[in-house]
Amino acid sequence: ALPISDPDNNGFINEDFIVWMRTAALPTFRKLYRLIERTDSMQPTLAPGNYSLEIEYNYPVHSFDGRKRMILSTISWMRGKNPFLGIAYITVGSICFFLGVVLLIIHHKYGNRNNTANIVN
């Protein structure tokens, strides 16, 4: 929701609203709400203690059998829990590199041979 206290906020500067309105590609999805950046690998980011979270039920999801959940998660160095895309990119890139080397060798060994007879008109 747009804060009433800020009349200049028309939704284009509200990051929470922008993330929420982004269309999901799959029927089950997660939308990132906050990211806690770690400043030092030895110091914990959040101080030990009790934390509370207030959730308001603003959007009904029962009409389409939807569910809302709160998930606290860690991320990997690739910024996600699913490494499929990274592995797929490395695999396809390796295959392309290997095929490029093979085709280069074939081109140098068999390419540019002019074995056709010169036909005079």
Side-chain angles (χ1 to χ4, degrees):
L2 297 176
I4 299 171
S5 61
D6 187 4
D8 294 330
N9 189 355
N10 56 5
F12 291 107
I13 58 175
N14 189 343
E15 287 187 43
D16 300 330
F17 183 68
I18 292 170
V19 169
W20 174 250
M21 292 306 292
R22 190 178 304 143
T23 306
L26 300 172
T28 57
F29 57 89
R30 293 181 184 181
K31 296 210 176 185
L32 178 67
Y33 183 68
R34 289 287 181 263
L35 182 65
I36 300 172
E37 295 287 341
R38 184 175 277 244
T39 56
D40 184 16
S41 62
M42 299 304 289
Q43 292 289 337
T45 305
L46 293 174
N50 294 326
Y51 294 92
S52 63
L53 177 70
E54 182 179 332
I55 299 174
E56 295 178 13
Y57 187 73
N58 290 331
Y59 189 76
V61 294
H62 292 294
S63 63
F64 53 89
D65 291 331
R67 291 180 294 193
K68 294 182 184 181
R69 295 184 191 157
M70 164 74 175
I71 299 173
L72 298 177
S73 176
T74 58
I75 57 175
S76 68
W77 61 274
M78 289 188 294
R79 292 291 213 203
K81 294 296 283 182
N82 188 359
F84 171 75
L85 235 100
I87 294 170
Y89 286 154
I90 291 172
T91 303
V92 170
S94 301
I95 291 170
C96 290
F97 179 75
F98 176 73
L99 287 176
V101 170
V102 168
L103 291 175
L104 182 67
I105 292 170
I106 290 172
H107 175 71
H108 278 294
K109 188 171 183 179
Y110 299 109
N112 276 347
R113 289 191 179 168
N114 193 2
N115 292 335
T116 59
N118 291 332
I119 299 174
V120 179
N121 289 338

